[in-house]
Amino acid sequence: MTALAVAPRADQLSRSPRSTRSAGLLLALGLLAVLVVASLALGARSIPFDRSVTLLFAGDDGSIDGTVLWNLRVPRTLLGLEVGIALALAGVVLQSVTRNPLADTGLLGVNAGAAAAVVLAISALDYASVDAYVWFAFAGAAIALLVVYGIAALGRGGISPTRLVLAGVAVTAALESMISAVSLRDSAALEQYRAWVVGSLGGRDAETVATFTPFLAVGLLLALACIRPLNALALGEDLARSLGGHVGRTRIASAGAVILLAGGATAAAGPIAFVGLLIPHLVRAMTGPDLRWVVPYSMVLGPCLLLGADVVGRLVVRPGELQVGILTAVLGAPLLIVLVRRLRLVGPA
Amino acid sequence: MRVRTGLLLALLLTVVGCSAKEGTSKPSGPTRSITHAMGTTQVPDKPQRVVVLDTPELDAAITLGIKPVGTVRDEASAGPSAYLGAQAADIPVVGIIGTPNLEEISRLKPDLILSSKDRDEPRYSQLSQIAPTVFGDAPGARWKENFQLYADALGKGAEGRAAMTAYQDRAKQIGSQVPKATTVSVVRFLTDETRLYTPRSFSGIVLADVGVARPEIVRTAPDIAVNISPEELPKADADFVYAAYYAPKEMTTFPQGQALWGQLPAVKAGKAFDVDDKIWMTGIGVTGANRVLDDLQRTLKA
């Protein structure tokens, strides 16, 4: 466990000099800017670059190119930015608060909770529209996470990282069997569920994007407020307390941040794997474990991964498209394997 | 000791059960031999109790005046396709397309089972043990050959040919309403895909019989359909556009492309029409094809 421990140690907190990390962050921001431009300029339909630029600044001129840009590409780019930030940040907070390098939104029941709520909504409401069941996804994610926290908090000893993860695994298993039970009995629901569960940035209009922005913004502020207490918590509960931190309050604030970020992202785009797991690992390999660096880096690299995967998905099977949920896993898995191998090499003895 | 006896008994029962079902079932009365996708099979001269395991087989039976004793439904609906009317509505359903319930089929004591290699190939030998089984091949692309095969298996070969000829004559007559260069496109919105159907699909073959032209993007495509991104919806444009929806409209990919859809010249000109997915996509057979012709006759006007 120590070999993979997320907890920072005093000697690691300043592994690379401040200037290097600042330069790296600028570089990452540059990469994100390039990907945003690519996400606006590239797609199944070829629009000349200068025409895209003109349309972007002059606004929708009512042409087909204009509709493609403003109705399809702008919303999905904004959604990619939001969801990328949210998922990466949720992953960082979860891994820190549970002090478990495996923690991601999937592990603590968030994806399963959202999926279960969506399946029930489709089955019970007989084909609601996508816009209607994003709310169920959000509620499902929040309830699942609350239940996981509740179970973990029961009994003596209170919430421990291990209990939290075990509760998450148990709740996920229960929810997944429920999803199977409902979707196998109701094959029409299964069909709709299959379309939702892949995770996609396409097909959501600007309104959906706008709906979730407040949730993600509050989640973001909450996560930022947790940076300092989580850094202290990483030193161990006793030390955190002696430094004047409120461990319980930190855990509750973190849970709130994760519910808003992961719940909102999953509701808006469907469950997207790997971003929340991979990005914190990738970032820590570059910056060390200090959350004051991990958080801003993750907020830049999360959307980079998501937008990059989405752009690739639009180009590889032209004139069709591959959903981003498929590509984050395809692109993310090899990266994570490289990181795992590296971690083993540099892990403390 | 008791456990071992129980095991032996179970084993014995299994062996007996197997040997009772061994071999393919043989019809009792006079038979004809039918050559099909899985080989040659002896079928009864006049089948009375037919089970059909996909929509083309159901269409063929109903078209030729034979009411099957059992059929299947697709994942998204509760029963047989509505376009086949009252004749098909009350046929008992024995499962979903591709996963029929073999026990229920055998309980119906059929004397002929019709399906296709694409749907039920792994179950061919099991189905053959229940009743003589005839399989078609490539439901959409080879729908005319399959229709005649099913007609022959049902003992209605001549009626099948007559129905097909009547359909083809009608198609040609409808085609004469519009200039030869008229282009027609067929787009289908599914829950996670948008497809343009090619001349190799069922609807494409009907349109070829009518004799209209097809849009560039589907003309050379190798499969029955081309998957497109919502961004590419403008490629669906033609003089006439027919749109089918696999699920209720708002659950399909249609909302994604709605803004673009409104900009298609055909849509602006009022030459885009919503059609029944159960007819244009899965109504594979002469009755289904005639229903496609009904839609075309009503809408295909210069």
Side-chain angles (χ1 to χ4, degrees):
Chain A
M1 208 54 209
T2 22
L4 282 171
V6 177
R9 297 175 322 177
D11 61 312
Q12 281 187 329
L13 278 173
S14 53
R15 198 160 69 181
S16 48
R18 200 186 166 82
S19 56
T20 318
R21 289 189 285 199
S22 304
L25 193 57
L26 277 177
L27 212 66
L29 272 171
L31 176 66
L32 183 59
V34 170
L35 285 166
V36 166
V37 171
S39 173
L40 291 172
L42 301 174
R45 181 182 175 86
S46 307
I47 303 177
F49 188 72
D50 54 335
R51 175 127 174 81
S52 301
V53 174
T54 315
L55 280 169
L56 204 58
F57 287 103
D60 192 351
D61 59 0
S63 67
I64 283 177
D65 284 346
T67 308
V68 167
L69 189 76
W70 282 99
N71 260 291
L72 295 170
R73 291 190 191 165
V74 168
R76 84 191 280 175
T77 304
L78 290 176
L79 189 63
L81 282 171
E82 280 190 9
V83 170
I85 292 173
L87 289 177
L89 208 48
V92 168
V93 171
L94 259 184
Q95 289 185 9
S96 302
V97 76
T98 60
R99 287 194 282 155
N100 185 326
L102 275 177
D104 82 333
T105 50
L107 195 73
L108 294 198
V110 173
N111 290 353
V118 166
V119 163
L120 282 179
I122 297 170
S123 178
L125 302 182
D126 221 26
Y127 305 114
S129 73
V130 178
D131 301 325
Y133 59 58
V134 288
W135 292 107
F136 287 90
F138 193 61
I143 292 169
L145 202 55
L146 287 175
V147 169
V148 167
Y149 257 77
I151 292 174
L154 285 177
R156 269 180 299 169
I159 300 176
S160 76
T162 323
R163 294 169 79 120
L164 204 55
V165 172
L166 283 175
V169 170
V171 168
T172 301
L175 287 171
E176 272 169 4
S177 59
M178 193 195 80
I179 294 168
S180 304
V182 173
S183 56
L184 287 177
R185 281 173 52 88
D186 183 348
S187 42
L190 179 66
E191 189 65 37
Q192 308 301 335
Y193 170 66
R194 269 204 298 249
W196 177 81
V197 82
V198 183
S200 166
L201 297 178
R204 311 293 193 270
D205 54 17
E207 236 170 86
T208 313
V209 180
T211 307
F212 286 96
T213 307
F215 292 98
L216 299 176
V218 175
L220 176 74
L221 291 176
L222 215 49
L224 293 180
C226 286
I227 292 180
R228 193 174 287 273
L230 280 176
N231 257 345
L233 192 62
L235 302 170
E237 281 180 35
D238 296 335
L239 200 50
R241 271 193 202 97
S242 69
L243 286 172
H246 294 263
V247 174
R249 208 184 289 168
T250 306
R251 287 213 174 102
I252 289 169
S254 309
V258 171
I259 288 173
L260 290 169
L261 292 169
T266 308
I272 292 176
F274 257 110
V275 180
L277 182 65
L278 170 70
I279 293 297
H281 282 286
L282 184 73
V283 168
R284 274 194 302 269
M286 293 191 282
T287 66
D290 186 350
L291 288 177
R292 285 172 301 179
W293 286 104
V294 173
V295 166
Y297 262 83
S298 298
M299 286 173 60
V300 178
L301 290 179
C304 279
L305 174 61
L306 211 57
L307 286 180
D310 192 41
V311 170
V312 171
R314 286 183 237 169
L315 300 180
V316 284
V317 290
R318 281 167 101 164
E321 277 186 13
L322 260 178
Q323 284 93 338
V324 73
I326 296 169
L327 275 153
T328 49
V330 170
L331 298 177
L335 257 173
L336 193 61
I337 291 167
V338 170
L339 276 175
V340 168
R341 291 183 58 87
R342 227 195 85 165
L343 269 179
R344 189 169 290 166
L345 288 178
V346 301
Chain B
M1 198 56 206
R2 193 179 292 167
V3 173
R4 201 182 295 166
T5 321
L7 264 177
L8 258 173
L9 205 68
L11 203 72
L12 205 71
L13 281 173
T14 318
V15 171
V16 171
C18 280
S19 61
K21 279 185 193 161
E22 204 76 23
T24 49
S25 80
K26 297 268 186 311
S28 46
T31 63
R32 291 165 293 120
S33 85
I34 296 287
T35 302
H36 59 98
M38 305 300 286
T40 302
T41 300
Q42 294 296 317
V43 304
D45 247 359
K46 291 282 167 211
Q48 301 298 318
R49 301 184 58 80
V50 185
V51 168
V52 294
L53 299 182
D54 196 2
T55 54
E57 295 77 15
L58 180 61
D59 183 297
I62 297 291
T63 304
L64 300 169
I66 292 178
K67 183 173 181 169
V69 295
T71 185
V72 286
R73 62 178 178 87
D74 70 52
E75 283 205 332
S77 37
S81 297
Y83 81 91
L84 290 168
Q87 268 289 72
D90 57 347
I91 301 172
V93 170
V94 294
I96 292 171
I97 295 171
T99 52
N101 184 329
L102 298 179
E103 274 183 42
E104 284 189 34
I105 294 174
S106 98
R107 204 171 302 145
L108 292 170
K109 303 206 184 327
D111 56 6
L112 177 66
I113 298 173
L114 297 178
S115 185
S116 67
K117 213 171 149 176
D118 308 67
R119 297 290 175 257
D120 290 305
E121 188 171 12
R123 282 169 293 282
Y124 182 74
S125 65
Q126 285 166 292
L127 290 168
S128 296
Q129 285 166 20
I130 298 171
T133 303
V134 170
F135 271 14
D137 188 10
R142 292 172 49 80
W143 74 270
K144 289 182 177 176
E145 292 87 337
N146 290 333
F147 183 83
Q148 192 54 48
L149 171 73
Y150 302 143
D152 290 339
L154 291 165
K156 301 255 185 187
E159 290 91 330
R161 268 183 293 277
M164 186 62 80
T165 310
Y167 146 77
Q168 262 156 344
D169 291 346
R170 191 180 163 217
K172 237 178 246 131
Q173 184 262 319
I174 290 169
S176 64
Q177 291 177 183
V178 287
K180 273 265 170 284
T182 306
T183 54
V184 173
S185 84
V186 179
V187 52
R188 187 189 199 188
F189 298 95
L190 294 97
T191 51
D192 52 355
E193 286 175 359
T194 309
R195 295 185 191 158
L196 298 180
Y197 276 71
T198 73
R200 273 149 293 285
S201 64
F202 166 67
S203 60
I205 293 169
V206 175
L207 288 170
D209 287 337
V210 171
V212 289
R214 306 301 306 280
E216 184 63 43
I217 183 172
V218 299
R219 225 175 285 157
T220 51
D223 299 319
I224 63 163
V226 182
N227 264 341
I228 58 160
S229 150
E231 290 189 3
E232 292 285 40
L233 211 47
K235 293 204 170 143
D237 193 47
D239 294 333
F240 294 86
V241 179
Y242 294 90
Y245 307 86
Y246 177 74
K249 218 172 189 174
E250 71 273 16
M251 288 306 310
T252 64
T253 52
F254 178 77
Q256 297 182 36
Q258 194 157 17
L260 276 176
W261 182 253
Q263 298 199 336
L264 297 190
V267 175
K268 283 183 176 164
K271 301 246 169 112
F273 306 95
D274 287 358
V275 292
D276 189 348
D277 197 75
K278 294 276 183 295
I279 294 172
W280 281 64
M281 295 300 146
T282 51
I284 299 169
V286 168
T287 300
N290 270 308
R291 295 296 303 275
V292 173
L293 293 185
D294 290 346
D295 286 339
L296 292 173
Q297 192 164 30
R298 195 162 37 81
T299 54
L300 204 59
K301 284 170 187 151

